[in-house]
């Protein structure tokens, strides 16, 4: 019971920090003006074009592909796998489990391996490629360790030390209704859950902000149409000198 | 005078092994009070400079989304690490774009993020100290703001934005760069970067009219401050007397003459360059840009056309409408502003002017895409028109054109090594080393296609190349203006 209460609190707190922290960050990005037109050109000249550009960045890591095939390979592998694994986890939170979640289960199983390979590849580069080692701080290594820890403990439960999945599901669906159901006390499960909660807490304060950040990056999300449409923003320097300019018109 | 070694030219771009700190000595002359004051900056570091710097950073984070997002988003993936010409040419790891950014990011994290406040070591956060400021001064003056790194970053993180922000912070505490700030002062006082006053400008232009008359027998005009002209031409002041820039200016004049379109230069806006961009000062950039609006209104022109200048075209194309618009008093049938290459290209397309390519048969030409044109602007109405249109103009003017290797042109183009406010003699070592990737690519086409000339549409590129070409065993006059090719090929009335 002690463990159940502890983990229930842990997940409430972690979820709150994750949602509020991320929400505040996103609000900040949205509120901050982009005073000038700075898309990296050649850039799309229409909104629709920008959606396509952003799509290729988010779904295919287009710029990264141009830059470096190895980083792209490992990074892409890791992220696609992560997405599949996250979707697969929906079955622990949704009742009844939607059909499409059932359908991706087999892919999800392999995805965990791809995730480990991707992370290991990225970490190997971080350690062995001199340039990347130079730009890494301890937090960059720890982040990979954390994700690898989550993936490996997860894999451990799938293949070696099984845990009572239906009890876990009852625990989480209970949390969503503010009810407490007992959580199995299997050590590997507790470690897995602890690492996931840590990731949620760290998310809004770390480089994981690249996930929302990419959508707000002016070099990627601006339309290249400065001559056709006057771009204005509410910043002091733009407004302040505006007055003499207007009087020059008279 | 060189107390450094010119790097060896390479077959393809090679990624060097890291040599830590080898460029930490490179720094431009610091500005003095007299050059700071006209721009509204303090003359020297005050006692509370750290607080001022940190507050300025906070202000920029609130008023520039790019800076805020870029500070947070970098995952240290390393994709940009081998993309900067200054890193490739110097081997100093601080010249890797992400490492350069981290000089500011460390301070950002320390003062503006929770982990940086409580666990600075863990996340690479650093206190702002005099040493850090020295590193800023050194390495943020080893970035030409060319945006090559932003092409490859998965989030489009543009180190140029971070360089501009840091230079703005340094100016706010009184640590400005002499070269850029002195020049901006001259623009405010006299009207152009070179400090060429109106009478001298008039003389120069009259001299050019005589030269062209002597050479062609035709009265090609170089009008100054002529009210009621159709087009205001704004061009970098280097076009008025530097080589090979001036041959470009002669080219523009011949094009206007052949097309029969009236035009004028302005002594009030006798400069296309806008170094406000380089120092990241929006206030100054706006003030400089306003001169163009004022000149256009004063002269009553219908169109504005910019001469060959890279960063000026960025400010013109991307910012002019924002900074000095709206331009609803100009002829709505033409984009505001237009690039001289767009103008010439259109005239060629419509058969208004005629070029005789064979007159350039003694030249075998390649084209250097200037970074600000390539990655921060456009020409025509297609994305990528900035690559197509200048090449079309060149190909219409000469028979022998060969592009350099694809990974060194277009959006992947390498900077000349002298952009972004670094075109000063106190940074010669940096400029020579930074030119390595471009020089290597040039060597390739010289060997494969016997290329004799490299054409460019940027005043800074042209000046930089005339200076560094000899270091790599080329001749300084192998760099030419695109409109010099036009000038030599264009068929004028009397010759028909
Ligand atoms: C919109 C969603 C996302 C996009 C477009 C995205 C994109 C990228 C890209 C392009 C990279 C660089 C390549 C690489 O090193 O893998 C990267 C790195 C990284 N991403 Fe994401 N990502 C997203 C969401 C996430 C999420 C949700 C997480 C974790 C929970 C995550 C964790 C990481 C980590 C840890 C790295 C650094 C890997 C390293 O250390 O080399 N990403 N991301
Ligand atoms: S903007 Fe250009 S000069 Fe500056 S870091 Fe990036 S690649 Fe290097
Ligand atoms: S490519 Fe972008 S995200 Fe990757 S290290 Fe460079 S700046 Fe950071």
């Amino acid at each position: 019971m002690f463990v159940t209460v502890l983990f229930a609190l842990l997940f409430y707190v972690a979820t709150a920090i994750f949602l509020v922290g991320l929400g505040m960050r996103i609000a900040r990005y949205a509120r901050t003006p982009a005073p000038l037109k700075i898309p990296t050109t050649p850039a799309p000249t229409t909104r629709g074009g920008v959606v396509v550009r952003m799509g290729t960045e988010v779904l295919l890591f287009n710029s990264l592909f141009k830059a470096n095939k190895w980083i792209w390979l490992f990074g892409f592998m890791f992220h696609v796998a992560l997405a599949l694994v996250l979707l697969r986890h929906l079955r622990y939170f949704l009742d009844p489990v939607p059909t499409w979640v059932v359908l991706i289960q087999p892919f999800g199983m392999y995805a965990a391996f791809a995730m480990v390979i991707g992370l290991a590849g990225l970490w190997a580069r971080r350690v062995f490629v001199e340039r990347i080692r130079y730009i890494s701080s301890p937090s960059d290594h720890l982040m990979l360790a954390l994700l690898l820890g989550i993936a490996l403990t997860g894999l451990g439960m799938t293949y070696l030390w099984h845990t009572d999945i239906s009890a876990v599901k009852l625990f989480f669906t209970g949390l969503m209704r503010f009810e407490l159901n007992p959580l199995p006390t299997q050590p590997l499960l507790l470690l897995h859950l602890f690492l996931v909660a840590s990731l949620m807490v760290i998310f809004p304060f770390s480089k994981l902000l690249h996930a929302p950040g990419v959508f707000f990056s002016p070099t990627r999300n601006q339309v290249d149409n400065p001559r056709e449409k006057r771009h204005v923003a509410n910043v002091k320097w733009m407004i302040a000198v505006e007055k003499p300019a207007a009087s020059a018109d008279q | 005078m060189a107390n450094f070694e010119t790097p060896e030219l390479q077959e393809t771009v090679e990624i060097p092994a890291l040599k830590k700190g080898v460029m930490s000595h490179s720094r431009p002359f610091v500005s003095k009070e007299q050059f700071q004051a006209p721009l509204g900056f303090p003359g020297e570091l005050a006692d509370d400079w750290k607080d001022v710097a940190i507050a300025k950073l906070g202000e920029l984070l609130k008023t520039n989304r790019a800076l805020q997002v870029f500070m947070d988003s970098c995952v240290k993936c390393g994709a940009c690490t081998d993309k900067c010409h200054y890193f490739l040419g110097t081997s100093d790891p601080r010249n890797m774009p992400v490492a350069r950014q981290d000089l500011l990011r460390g301070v950002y994290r320390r003062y503006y993020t929770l982990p940086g406040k409580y666990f600075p070591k863990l996340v690479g956060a650093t206190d702002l100290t005099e040493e850090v400021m020295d590193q800023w001064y050194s390495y943020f003056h080893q970035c030409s703001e060319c945006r090559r790194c932003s092409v490859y970053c998965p989030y489009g993180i543009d180190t140029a934005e971070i360089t501009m922000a840091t230079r703005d912070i340094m100016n706010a505490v009184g640590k400005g760069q002499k070269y850029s700030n002195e020049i901006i002062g001259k623009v405010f006082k006299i009207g152009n970067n070179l400090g060429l006053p109106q009478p001298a400008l008039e003389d120069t232009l009259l001299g050019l009219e005589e030269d062209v008359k002597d050479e062609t027998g035709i009265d090609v005009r170089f009008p100054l401050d002529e009210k009621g002209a159709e087009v205001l031409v704004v061009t970098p002041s280097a076009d008025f007397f530097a080589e090979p820039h001036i041959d470009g200016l002669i080219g523009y004049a011949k094009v206007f003459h052949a097309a029969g379109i009236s035009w004028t230069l302005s002594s009030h806006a006798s400069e296309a360059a806008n170094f406000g961009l380089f120092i990241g000062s929006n206030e100054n950039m706006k003030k400089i840009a306003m001169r163009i609006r004022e000149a256009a209104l004063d002269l009553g022109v219908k169109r504005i056309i910019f001469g060959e200048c890279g960063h000026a075209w960025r400010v013109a194309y991307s910012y002019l409408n924002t900074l000095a618009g709206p331009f609803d008093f100009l002829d709505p049938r033409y984009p505001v502003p237009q690039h001289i290459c767009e103008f010439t290209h259109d005239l060629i397309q419509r058969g208004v002017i005629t070029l005789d390519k064979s007159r350039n048969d003694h030249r075998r030409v390649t084209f250097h895409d200037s970074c600000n044109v390539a990655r921060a602007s456009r020409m025509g109405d297609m994305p990528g028109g900035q690559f197509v249109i200048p090449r079309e103009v060149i190909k219409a003017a000469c028979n022998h054109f060969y592009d350099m290797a694809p990974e060194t042109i277009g959006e992947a183009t390498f900077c000349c090594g002298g952009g972004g406010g670094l075109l000063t003699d106190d940074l010669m070592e940096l400029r020579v080393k930074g030119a390595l990737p471009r020089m290597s690519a040039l060597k390739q086409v010289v060997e494969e296609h016997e290329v004799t000339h490299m054409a460019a549409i940027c005043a800074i590129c042209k000046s930089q190349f005339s200076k560094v070409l000899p270091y790599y065993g080329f001749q300084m006059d192998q760099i030419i203006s695109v409109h010099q090719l036009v000038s030599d090929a264009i068929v004028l009335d009397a010759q028909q």
Side-chain angles (χ1 to χ4, degrees):
Chain A
M1 195 57 203
F2 172 70
V3 169
T4 303
V5 174
L6 190 71
F7 272 78
L9 283 178
L10 180 65
F11 269 90
Y12 280 133
V13 171
T15 310
I17 293 180
F18 175 74
L19 291 179
V20 174
L22 198 60
M24 281 171 56
R25 216 63 201 163
I26 291 177
R28 173 161 203 165
Y29 295 157
R31 242 185 298 121
T32 310
L36 294 167
K37 279 279 190 169
I38 57 167
T40 311
T41 58
T45 52
T46 59
R47 268 274 135 224
V50 166
V51 171
V52 173
R53 179 184 208 180
M54 192 56 84
T56 61
E57 290 298 346
V58 172
L59 301 176
L60 301 173
F61 298 3
N62 187 36
S63 296
L64 183 61
F65 186 78
K66 281 193 253 183
N68 188 309
K69 302 291 186 277
W70 283 111
I71 306 178
W72 180 85
L73 181 73
F74 291 129
F76 190 70
M77 205 187 224
F78 157 60
H79 283 85
V80 171
L82 176 71
L84 278 171
V85 168
L86 284 177
L87 291 176
R88 192 173 107 94
H89 277 66
L90 283 178
R91 68 182 171 142
Y92 304 132
F93 303 93
L94 301 178
D95 210 15
V97 181
T99 330
W100 63 270
V101 177
V102 179
L103 287 177
I104 61 167
Q105 290 307 313
F107 302 102
M109 310 267 287
Y110 295 111
F113 289 102
M115 189 168 151
V116 170
I117 297 172
L119 285 168
L122 289 171
W123 206 350
R125 287 186 59 83
R126 202 171 280 296
V127 173
F128 295 114
V129 178
E130 193 189 16
R131 282 174 287 125
I132 306 187
R133 188 167 65 231
Y134 180 86
I135 58 167
S136 303
S137 39
S139 58
D140 298 310
H141 292 282
L142 283 178
M143 185 64 75
L144 289 169
L146 178 60
L147 286 162
L148 210 51
I150 294 174
L152 290 174
T153 48
L155 271 173
M157 283 183 290
T158 314
Y159 292 100
L160 300 174
W161 301 281
H162 300 282
T163 192
D164 182 352
I165 299 287
S166 38
V168 175
K169 179 161 183 171
L170 275 180
F171 172 78
F172 277 104
T173 46
L175 282 189
M176 292 194 286
R177 278 180 263 117
F178 299 101
E179 291 167 17
L180 275 192
N181 296 318
L183 181 70
T185 53
Q186 207 237 35
L188 206 57
L189 172 69
L190 297 186
L191 184 58
H192 186 70
L193 293 183
F194 175 75
L195 293 177
V196 171
S198 314
L199 184 71
M200 288 164 74
V201 171
I202 293 169
F203 201 106
F205 307 100
S206 68
K207 66 179 188 177
L208 297 182
L209 288 170
H210 68 283
V214 61
F215 296 99
F216 289 94
S217 174
T219 56
R220 293 292 182 266
N221 76 7
Q222 288 186 334
V223 182
D224 175 20
N225 62 354
R227 289 194 290 193
E228 292 78 17
K229 191 162 175 290
R230 184 168 184 233
H231 176 84
V232 279
N234 187 13
V235 280
K236 199 175 70 209
W237 63 263
M238 209 182 277
I239 316 295
V241 210
E242 196 81 26
K243 296 207 181 77
S247 62
D249 282 3
Q250 315 307 310
Chain B
M1 65 161 274
N3 51 358
F4 59 90
E5 268 183 54
T6 306
E8 299 252 338
L9 291 177
Q10 304 168 339
E11 291 282 306
T12 50
V13 183
E14 281 168 35
I15 305 170
L18 309 187
K19 293 202 197 102
K20 286 183 198 162
V22 288
M23 286 302 280
S24 58
H25 63 278
S26 173
R27 55 192 57 210
F29 296 144
V30 180
S31 179
K32 296 203 186 74
E33 170 104 49
Q34 73 195 99
F35 305 126
Q36 291 287 92
L39 282 65
F41 299 137
E44 55 185 24
L45 288 194
D47 290 337
D48 63 345
W49 69 269
K50 274 179 214 174
D51 300 332
V52 176
I54 291 161
K56 180 76 188 179
L57 171 59
E59 178 200 320
L60 292 177
L61 287 165
K62 285 211 183 77
T63 51
N64 183 353
R65 182 189 299 161
L67 185 66
Q68 175 67 64
V69 170
F70 294 168
M71 282 292 115
D72 282 344
S73 296
C74 173
V75 296
K76 314 296 164 87
C77 69
C80 61
T81 52
D82 56 350
K83 301 298 182 267
C84 179
H85 52 287
Y86 290 121
F87 169 65
L88 297 172
T90 66
S91 313
D92 189 321
R94 274 285 161 220
N95 279 329
M96 301 190 295
V98 44
R100 194 188 314 288
Q101 296 163 22
D102 277 351
L103 290 172
L104 183 66
R105 189 175 285 116
V107 172
Y108 162 72
R109 286 200 167 149
R110 184 76 180 108
Y111 298 95
Y112 289 99
T113 70
L114 280 183
K117 272 185 193 137
Y118 299 111
F119 317 102
K121 288 248 164 59
L122 187 70
V123 296
T126 41
D127 285 317
L128 180 56
T129 59
E130 249 160 79
E131 265 164 51
V132 169
M133 174 67 94
D134 277 349
Q135 282 199 312
W136 281 6
Y137 194 74
S138 178
Y139 289 103
F140 285 112
H141 290 108
Q142 299 189 43
C143 169
S144 57
E145 303 174 347
C146 78
R147 313 191 94 198
R148 190 168 195 267
C149 44
S150 87
V151 171
Y152 298 100
C153 172
Y155 322 112
I157 295 178
D158 180 6
T159 314
E161 287 293 316
I162 293 164
T163 295
M164 289 169 192
T166 314
R167 290 185 189 174
D168 200 21
I169 296 170
M170 289 193 285
N171 266 320
V173 299
K175 188 145 173 146
Q177 183 215 23
K178 174 171 179 278
Y179 170 71
S180 296
N181 292 3
E182 184 179 8
I183 280 181
I184 294 175
K186 277 191 214 155
V187 174
F188 289 152
K189 209 159 143 218
I190 306 169
N192 51 58
N193 285 9
L194 295 170
L196 207 62
Q198 198 268 351
L201 186 55
E202 202 167 352
D203 265 6
T204 310
L205 295 173
L206 284 175
L208 285 177
E209 286 184 2
E210 281 165 25
D211 291 350
V212 177
K213 172 95 181 171
D214 287 347
E215 197 192 315
T216 62
I218 294 170
D219 287 308
V220 173
R221 300 208 47 232
F222 289 77
L224 180 67
D225 294 332
E226 283 195 3
K227 291 206 180 206
E230 163 106 6
V231 178
L232 168 66
V233 172
V234 185
T235 207
S237 56
D239 280 7
F240 299 129
F241 71 85
E243 281 292 341
H245 313 58
I246 199 161
D247 302 298
L249 176 63
I250 295 172
Y252 320 154
K254 287 185 183 170
V255 170
F256 280 105
H257 177 92
I261 296 175
S262 68
W263 66 291
T264 184
L265 293 157
S266 153
S267 56
H268 181 58
S270 51
E271 178 62 69
N274 191 330
F275 280 25
L277 174 77
F278 295 159
I279 62 168
S281 167
N282 292 325
E283 288 88 350
N284 281 295
M285 186 161 71
K286 180 168 171 108
K287 226 169 123 186
I288 299 169
M290 283 314 286
R291 293 156 36 255
I292 294 164
R293 180 192 181 87
E294 289 151 13
L297 282 167
D298 183 43
L299 296 169
V301 295
K302 298 197 178 61
R303 304 166 65 176
I304 300 176
I305 293 180
F306 272 73
E308 297 182 2
C309 183
H311 84 281
W313 180 239
R314 174 181 192 173
V315 178
Y317 172 86
S318 295
Y319 305 162
L320 198 65
N321 205 357
T322 297
L323 296 174
F327 286 95
D328 39 17
F329 56 91
L330 297 175
D331 188 337
R333 285 174 301 165
Y334 304 99
V336 182
Q338 268 185 304
H339 194 280
I340 188 75
C341 284
E342 288 179 309
F343 176 68
T344 302
H345 180 247
D346 176 61
L347 296 172
I348 298 170
Q349 293 284 301
R350 290 192 287 123
V352 178
I353 57 173
T354 314
L355 303 181
D356 176 0
K357 292 190 201 196
S358 66
R359 294 191 197 164
N360 277 310
D361 272 352
H362 58 296
R363 296 185 170 121
R364 300 169 73 84
V365 181
T366 191
F367 179 63
H368 165 77
D369 285 294
S370 298
C371 35
N372 275 300
V373 177
R375 291 184 283 257
S377 81
R378 175 162 54 100
M379 289 182 203
D381 31 80
M382 282 245 313
Q386 67 270 37
F387 309 130
V388 179
I389 289 178
R391 283 177 174 76
E392 288 297 315
V393 171
I394 296 174
K395 287 185 206 160
C398 73
N399 279 312
H400 309 294
F401 175 77
Y402 305 91
D403 256 323
M404 287 178 276
E407 66 276 13
T408 70
I409 58 169
E411 69 169 0
T413 190
F414 279 108
C415 171
C416 62
L422 308 181
L423 190 76
T424 167
D425 285 347
D426 34 324
L427 292 175
M428 211 55 220
E429 175 180 5
L430 179 77
R431 286 168 55 189
V432 170
K433 292 183 172 173
L436 174 69
R438 172 49 76 230
M439 291 294 102
S440 297
L442 176 61
K443 178 89 179 305
Q444 289 291 308
V445 281
V446 168
E447 282 174 1
E448 274 169 42
H449 302 290
E450 294 164 41
V451 161
T452 58
H453 291 87
M454 179 162 67
I457 45 171
C458 172
I460 289 178
C461 294
K462 293 173 201 171
S463 300
Q464 157 77 351
F465 285 133
S466 2
K467 199 83 175 237
V468 302
L469 278 166
Y471 282 86
Y472 289 95
F474 300 104
Q475 308 298 314
M476 64 180 287
D477 58 5
Q478 285 184 273
I479 174 74
I480 54 174
S481 301
V482 166
H483 274 77
Q484 179 175 354
L485 294 167
V486 175
S487 172
D488 290 354
I490 195 164
V491 181
L492 299 177
D493 327 333
Q495 296 165 313
Q496 269 165 352

